[in-house]
Amino acid sequence: FAQAVAHQHRRFPTSSMAKVLAVNDDLPIRTDRPVHSGKVRAVYWLTAADSKRLIREKNYNVAPGTALAVMVISDRISAFDCVWRGEGGMDGVPNKGAALNAIANHWFKAFREKGLADNHIVDVPHPLVWIVQKAKPVMIEAICRQYITGSMWRAYSRGEREFCGITLAEGLQNNQKLPEVLITPSTKGVLKGIPGVPEADDVNVSRADIERNFQAFNFSAEADIGQYEKLLKEGFQVISQGLGELDQVFVDTKFEFGYVTDKNGQERMIYIDEVGTPDSSRIWDGAAYRDSGTVIEKSKEGFRQLLLRHFPDPDILLNRDRFEERKALARDNALPTAVLWEVSNTYTSIAEKITGQSLKVTDDPKGEIISVLDKQFGLIDHNRAKATFSPKKRRIGAGIDGRTLGVLGGGQLGRMMAEAGHRLGIALMPLDPEGLESPAGQVAGHAVK
C-alpha cells in the first residue's frame, strides 16, 4: 500500500492526525426519541414541532405532518456485518462519509432529472448530513447484477444454479458478464410468518415469494412489485451508463425503496438509503477489465477481499454460523493504518471521478455540523450541548472561580484550547463578542460576550 498511502498523505493529514468522524450518535441535536445508531449512519428523529417548523420554513415538498430526521454519516467502515478499526486509534476511513454522500447525492439528482423517482432527502446541510423524510420501507434489499461474481459466483462454483427463482446456464466463468441484468432480491431484516421464507436477515427470495406475500414485504399493492423492478432496472441503467462514460464497470448494486406522501396527499414510491456508492455496489476499472479481464475494485469489495487474505481462516468471515467468532475478530484486531488509507484512496478517487469535484476535507466535522444545524436550522439543544461538552470539574487554583479558565477570544485558537481543556477536565470560559456563536463557545457550551 506504500504508493497509495504516500498519495493520501499528500492530500490529507498523517494517519495519526486524520480527522475521521468515528462517533456520530452523540451530537446535541434536539430530539425526543432515542438516536438510532447503525453500522455507518446515525438517525436523529426531530420533534414534531421542529419537523413542522422546517417543512414550513424551508417549503419542503412533503405532507405537513411528515416526520423528519437528521441523518449523520460517519467514517466507520463495516464489512461482513462487523465494524473494523485501525491501529493507533484510527477508527475510520478518512473522507469515506463525505464520499458516500457525494456519490449518492449525484445519482439521486440524476434519477430525479431523468424522471425516475424522487428520494428521501429533503435537504443537505453539510457534506456529512442529510435531512430526510420518514418513509414506509419496502422490506426488500433490491439487488441487481450485471456480472457473476462475489457470493453468486461462490454459490455457482459449488454447483448451485438457481438464484431467487432464476436458473443460470452452465459453463459460466467468474467475473463474466451475464446475458441480461438480473434482479436477485433478499429480505431486509428478519421477516416472520412468510411461508417458505426463513426467519433470518438477508435471505434470498423469488419474485413468486414476493407476489404471494406482497403485504408482508410492505408493498401497498401487488402492482407495486412491477414498479419497484422498473425503478431498480432504470436506476441501474442510469448509473451503469454514467460510469461507463468514465470507463468504469457497474457490476452489481443494492437499492432500497419506500413510500412517502407528498403535499397533495398522494402516496409515492421513492428511493431511500443510498444508491450507487462503493458501500452498496461493486465497481471495476473499465480499462483493466476490458484489456485483460483483470478486476481492479473501486468499491468496498476490495476491502472485503483484503480481509479475506489478511486473516488465516477466511471461513470465519463467510460462515454465518461463526458470526460470534467474526465479531471477536473485528473487536480484537486493529488493522494497519495503510489499509484504511488504501480504502480512503479508493473512495475519494471514485467520488471525485463521478462528481467531477474535489471532496471537502474538514478537521472539525462535529463543530461544523453543530454550527450549521444551529445557525441555519435551529436544531441544536444548547442545554444538551453544554452537558455533552461540559468537562468534569477540576480545581486548578486559578481563573475565574478557581476551576474555570477565561480565554480571551472565541475563534479557532480558542476552540482548540476549549477542546484541549475538555480532554484534561478543565473548563474554559471564552470571552468573545459572538458569545455562544463563536467556535470556542460552541465547544465549551458557554461563553461571555
Side-chain angles (χ1 to χ4, degrees), residues 398-415:
I400 295 173
D401 58 4
R403 57 179 172 79
T404 306
L405 287 176
V407 180
L408 183 60
Q412 294 302 323
L413 180 58
R415 176 186 64 78

Side-chain angles (χ1 to χ4, degrees), residues 135-146:
K136 183 183 82 170
V138 174
M139 303 307 290
I140 286 175
E141 304 275 2
I143 299 168
C144 212
R145 303 174 187 270
Q146 194 166 215

Side-chain angles (χ1 to χ4, degrees), residues 117-270:
D118 214 330
N119 59 80
H120 60 148
I121 304 169
V122 298
D123 218 331
V124 183
H126 184 273
L128 299 175
V129 178
W130 290 337
I131 295 180
V132 300
Q133 59 179 314
K134 187 174 184 179
K136 183 183 82 170
V138 174
M139 303 307 290
I140 286 175
E141 304 275 2
I143 299 168
C144 212
R145 303 174 187 270
Q146 194 166 215
Y147 292 77
I148 181 168
T149 190
S151 61
M152 176 178 272
W153 169 253
R154 288 192 292 271
Y156 185 91
S157 66
R158 293 193 299 266
E160 295 183 33
R161 293 295 179 267
E162 185 169 313
F163 299 86
C164 302
I166 302 168
T167 302
L168 296 186
E170 297 291 337
L172 297 180
Q173 302 298 313
N174 190 21
N175 302 327
Q176 178 180 337
K177 188 171 184 177
L178 295 164
E180 60 180 339
V181 173
L182 301 182
I183 296 177
T184 57
S186 63
T187 56
K188 176 178 169 62
V190 179
L191 304 183
K192 298 184 178 182
I194 302 179
V197 177
E199 295 183 357
D201 184 26
D202 197 24
V203 174
N204 287 348
V205 293
S206 67
R207 195 182 200 278
D209 291 326
I210 300 171
E211 288 174 336
R212 287 192 297 266
N213 306 279
F214 70 91
Q215 291 177 317
F217 287 99
N218 235 14
F219 282 104
S220 294
E222 186 175 357
D224 290 346
I225 300 171
Q227 174 68 358
Y228 117 80
E229 291 177 333
K230 177 176 179 289
L231 291 176
L232 174 57
K233 284 193 172 182
E234 289 178 343
F236 189 95
Q237 181 59 34
V238 168
I239 298 176
S240 183
Q241 182 177 337
L243 287 175
E245 293 171 358
L246 301 171
D247 204 11
Q248 305 294 302
V249 178
F250 196 38
V251 179
D252 54 37
T253 195
K254 171 186 72 70
F255 288 178
E256 295 186 26
F257 296 93
Y259 293 96
V260 297
T261 303
D262 62 20
K263 282 184 174 180
N264 301 319
Q266 297 296 313
E267 186 179 71
R268 297 180 294 128
M269 182 180 288
I270 63 168

Side-chain angles (χ1 to χ4, degrees), residues 327-339:
K327 288 196 299 184
L329 202 67
R331 182 191 65 232
D332 300 336
N333 290 272
L335 301 173
T337 56
V339 170

